[in-house]
Amino acid sequence: MRPYPPIAEHGLIGDLQTCALVSSEGVLNWFCSPRFDSPSVFAGLLDHDRGGYFAITADTPAPDTEGAGVVTRQLYLADTAVLITRFLTREGVGEVVDFMPVHDPHTRTDRHRVVRVLRVVRGSVRFALECRPRFDYGRAPHDLVLGGAAAARFEAPGTTAHLQAVGGLALEADGSDVRATTTLSAGERAAVVLTVCDEGGEPPRPPTPDDLVEEFAAVRRYWHDWIGHCTYRGRWQQIVNRSAITLKLMTYAPTGAPIAAATMGLPEGEGGERNWDYRYTWVRDASLAVRAMRDLGFTQEADAFRGWLQRRLTDGGAPNGEPLQIMYRVDGDPYLSEEILGHLAGWRGSAPVRAGNGAAGQLQLDIYGEAVYALVQTGHSAESAGYDGWRYFSGILDWLCDSWDRPDEGIWETRGGQKDFTYSRVMCWVALDRGIRQATALARPADIPRWTAARDAILRQIMTRGWSEERRAFVQHYGTTVLDASLLMMPLVGFITPKDPRWLSTLEAMEGELVSDSLVYRYDPAASPDGLQGSEGTFSLCTFLYVYALARAGQVEQARYAFDKMLTYANHVGLFAEEIGPTGEQLGNFPQAFTHLALIVAALALDTELDAGDAGRGKA
């Protein structure tokens, strides 16, 4: 077992209220309960010694002089969130099957279960188990209570974790932790079930082998039924399905709120300080996910988030005095105070580790465009919101008419001061443009002349102050010549046509400065200081947006080449983090919703353009 495995060496499992990461060596390195944004139970990714882990590995001798030892392979059961880690040893082939049962995911519960099934398919394999929880980010001590060889209870302030063994596994105390070993032969199975609940919660009933067989069948059936609603049948269907399942796994079902990533504190550059907590719901990220999910046919998920977003609009404003805050907890709580967990070493020494997010109070005007973009995807949302919902919606646009022309922190949440970011203005234009269309289509009361005047003023301002004659490109913010890959969204949201001369010139300028072998940097921190030390990799969201822009601009072969190359950076089970480092490693929080939603958007656009090209050649 390696401490601090590569970020990408993990698969994701979950029950639509929380999730866990399991390494390709069978080590559960990350798990929070009862929600995505709760304190951790296992956080070995952030500190191998203090964070805690739950390992089930093949207990084999050290490699011999010829290097023979254990070889691991990890895969998903096709179109599910069931993760299989295989151990290929000299004595046999064994597997650990990991999943979290999905029981009525829309009803909030404080009881969550991780099922880990051990089985051998050839020969015999000796397995070793270590369960070392470290509650509250490793800050809360716990006591161990053994209940015979098949049960253990970890008791910490406010939380209890039950470990139950099935099939002959004998749990032993190791201080306040638990360990076990067992040797299984071909056809034999064992299992352990970890149940985390509130302190003093009713102990779970001991599971039987039949129970686990039924739960495995149920979770497989749930995911097959869910992905069966996907309407996409184009190229790259396997990776698109995996991205959709990943987005679903990172959505808090009781409220419909997607989180930005499953983890916190994983660095954008090894050893650096860009280590943020992404386990919250960004209005921007979640709103763009609505389009991706809706375009795949998942309208229930899109409508659930719209309901969550409408509740934020009717809550009476954010603590910073704006109508909306840029991010919230999954239940809509706007308070996300940032603290440094100084006792955690950080992944490979990348400190400080932060919990909470101090950027929550920033002004980022683009969120109003993304919010409106999400709310008007279909007329169903407006109908269900009714007249009162429209009043809140139109009130946001009335407010935006007076508030759009202000400097802000921008989409990348820089900590280098407010500026007049072009992308923020673009999304303010989107808010007003979609609002005008919605009011007209639904015959709703609105000050359309005022909205139209503000919308047109924004466009004229961007075309003069956001455009650099020197660079022949749209720029990051007014008064600079710095480029910014966030502007790849401009044709996607309809601000400019994808073949407009100004846009093609901007795309060419980005290719010369921000694109490296088809991978795209957000911007150049040296040219536009962001208030932080260290560097970062290419931003995977931007790379997929670049593919979209190329495809829509008619550069289809180049787009396909860039897309196919980008897919080679996916991990072994099709997951992406936030960034790609200089030697191809994945960096940042993992998996990242922004990356997977952009992958879907790029795949659908590229598939459409390729079909159009094939049809044109057929006609010729």
Side-chain angles (χ1 to χ4, degrees):
M1 178 175 58
R2 295 169 296 171
Y4 308 112
I7 290 170
E9 282 297 310
H10 293 83
L12 179 73
I13 60 174
D15 63 2
L16 311 185
Q17 297 191 28
T18 187
C19 62
L21 292 180
V22 181
S23 81
S24 60
E25 294 180 321
V27 184
L28 196 158
N29 272 317
W30 181 257
F31 175 59
C32 298
S33 185
R35 301 189 325 200
F36 298 111
D37 54 1
S38 298
S40 62
V41 177
F42 300 105
L45 263 178
L46 299 178
D47 195 307
H48 180 74
D49 297 322
R50 300 182 186 89
Y53 57 86
F54 182 7
I56 301 179
T57 57
D59 187 16
T60 62
D64 59 26
T65 55
E66 297 181 355
V70 62
V71 175
T72 62
R73 296 287 187 267
Q74 195 173 57
L75 67 152
Y76 278 112
L77 193 62
D79 285 341
T80 76
V82 177
L83 189 67
I84 301 174
T85 306
R86 311 192 77 204
F87 302 93
L88 286 65
T89 75
R90 284 173 286 183
E91 293 77 25
V93 177
E95 298 178 340
V96 175
V97 180
D98 287 305
F99 63 91
M100 294 181 69
V102 181
H103 298 304
D104 191 12
H106 300 287
T107 300
R108 186 185 67 82
T109 178
D110 292 326
R111 183 179 294 260
H112 299 276
R113 302 171 67 237
V114 177
V115 178
R116 313 199 72 187
V117 179
L118 297 69
R119 64 189 187 189
V120 172
V121 296
R122 299 182 66 183
S124 65
V125 175
R126 179 180 171 86
F127 291 96
L129 177 151
E130 296 179 64
C131 187
R132 306 185 183 280
R134 297 293 182 266
F135 298 92
D136 189 24
Y137 306 117
R139 296 180 295 195
H142 68 269
D143 296 320
L144 172 67
V145 179
L146 281 178
R153 186 169 72 250
F154 305 95
E155 297 181 341
T159 307
T160 300
H162 300 268
L163 188 67
Q164 298 167 302
V166 180
L169 266 173
L171 305 177
E172 301 175 357
D174 184 9
S176 60
D177 302 322
V178 162
R179 64 184 177 184
T181 58
T182 188
T183 300
L184 301 177
S185 297
E188 294 182 332
R189 300 186 181 196
V192 285
V193 179
L194 179 74
T195 304
V196 180
C197 55
D198 287 344
E199 183 180 13
E202 182 179 348
R205 180 177 64 83
T208 68
D210 288 343
D211 291 336
L212 299 182
V213 169
E214 290 177 6
E215 287 198 312
F216 174 77
V219 76
R220 182 177 59 180
R221 186 167 54 251
Y222 173 86
W223 287 107
H224 283 166
D225 289 347
W226 183 81
I227 201 65
H229 290 89
C230 181
T231 56
Y232 179 70
R233 298 293 183 269
R235 305 166 182 85
W236 309 289
Q237 187 168 356
Q238 184 175 359
I239 193 70
V240 168
N241 282 1
R242 180 53 51 197
S243 290
I245 291 171
T246 302
L247 292 177
K248 179 69 171 176
L249 279 170
M250 292 194 293
T251 300
Y252 186 66
T255 64
I259 58 172
T263 59
M264 54 174 268
L266 294 179
E268 296 175 14
E270 184 174 340
E273 68 166 333
R274 300 167 186 257
N275 316 312
W276 315 113
D277 189 349
Y278 280 4
R279 301 169 300 149
Y280 308 114
T281 300
W282 267 254
V283 170
R284 173 190 309 111
D285 304 38
S287 296
L288 296 175
V290 165
R291 170 176 176 149
M293 296 298 272
R294 184 212 63 178
D295 287 350
L296 294 179
F298 297 112
T299 56
Q300 289 185 352
E301 285 71 19
D303 287 341
F305 172 68
R306 291 191 197 101
W308 180 91
L309 183 56
Q310 286 167 347
R311 290 190 291 275
R312 303 292 75 76
L313 292 175
T314 59
D315 279 349
N320 62 2
E322 305 291 325
L324 280 176
Q325 187 165 284
I326 68 170
M327 72 180 93
Y328 299 83
R329 294 188 180 275
V330 292
D331 61 357
D333 182 353
Y335 296 99
L336 290 81
S337 57
E338 184 174 296
E339 63 175 320
I340 289 177
L341 305 179
H343 64 289
L344 297 179
W347 182 80
R348 298 185 180 180
S350 301
V353 174
R354 297 179 176 90
N357 200 307
Q362 285 190 354
L363 175 64
Q364 297 176 20
L365 290 167
D366 68 281
I367 65 170
Y368 297 100
E370 284 112 6
V372 171
Y373 193 65
L375 289 170
V376 303
Q377 289 297 309
T378 68
H380 172 73
S381 176
E383 292 172 6
S384 62
Y387 177 73
D388 291 332
W390 176 260
R391 286 196 304 111
Y392 286 109
F393 177 85
S394 61
I396 290 291
L397 297 181
D398 290 336
W399 171 88
L400 194 61
C401 287
D402 295 323
S403 305
W404 64 266
D405 196 10
R406 293 182 293 165
D408 66 352
E409 275 87 5
I411 181 176
W412 306 130
E413 296 170 8
T414 60
R415 303 194 178 190
Q418 295 183 340
K419 297 180 176 64
D420 292 309
F421 285 101
T422 304
Y423 177 76
S424 297
R425 297 297 200 276
V426 168
M427 296 311 294
C428 288
W429 178 92
V430 169
L432 291 160
D433 180 70
R434 298 312 193 274
I436 293 165
R437 297 186 194 186
Q438 192 79 344
T440 303
L442 300 177
R444 294 291 190 266
D447 193 347
I448 291 180
R450 186 180 179 217
W451 294 2
T452 302
R455 181 198 64 181
D456 295 348
I458 296 170
L459 188 144
R460 285 192 292 267
Q461 187 188 83
I462 292 171
M463 290 299 182
T464 54
R465 300 180 63 193
W467 169 261
S468 168
E469 286 291 343
E470 176 185 342
R471 298 300 306 272
R472 301 297 300 168
F474 292 103
V475 293
Q476 183 183 67
H477 59 83
Y478 300 166
T480 187
T481 58
V482 174
L483 303 179
D484 193 310
S486 66
L487 298 179
L488 289 164
M489 287 286 293
M490 294 174 81
L492 178 63
V493 298
F495 179 85
I496 196 168
T497 62
K499 296 182 180 180
D500 184 284
R502 286 195 179 201
W503 175 245
L504 294 177
S505 179
T506 300
L507 193 57
E508 183 179 357
M510 288 184 182
E511 289 169 346
E513 183 170 305
L514 299 181
V515 179
S516 173
D517 192 33
S518 298
L519 302 177
V520 182
Y521 290 94
R522 294 190 292 180
Y523 55 91
D524 180 2
S528 180
D530 55 16
L532 298 167
Q533 299 296 317
S535 60
E536 61 179 25
T538 57
F539 213 68
S540 297
L541 160 75
C542 299
T543 300
F544 285 121
L545 292 179
Y546 174 59
V547 170
Y548 174 92
L550 288 174
R552 293 304 193 201
Q555 301 174 39
V556 180
E557 291 305 316
Q558 186 180 348
R560 183 169 192 170
Y561 182 56
F563 188 71
D564 285 340
K565 281 206 294 186
M566 183 58 184
L567 295 185
T568 68
Y569 291 100
N571 82 341
H572 56 288
V573 289
L575 302 183
F576 283 93
E578 187 176 21
E579 301 182 5
I580 304 296
T583 58
E585 72 278 17
Q586 295 207 39
L587 295 171
N589 285 302
F590 177 88
Q592 179 85 357
F594 235 166
T595 305
H596 285 279
L597 71 89
L599 183 157
I600 293 169
V601 168
L604 268 62
L606 182 54
D607 194 60
T608 298
E609 295 298 333
L610 286 167
D611 283 348
D614 290 345
R617 285 188 292 273
K619 290 177 182 178

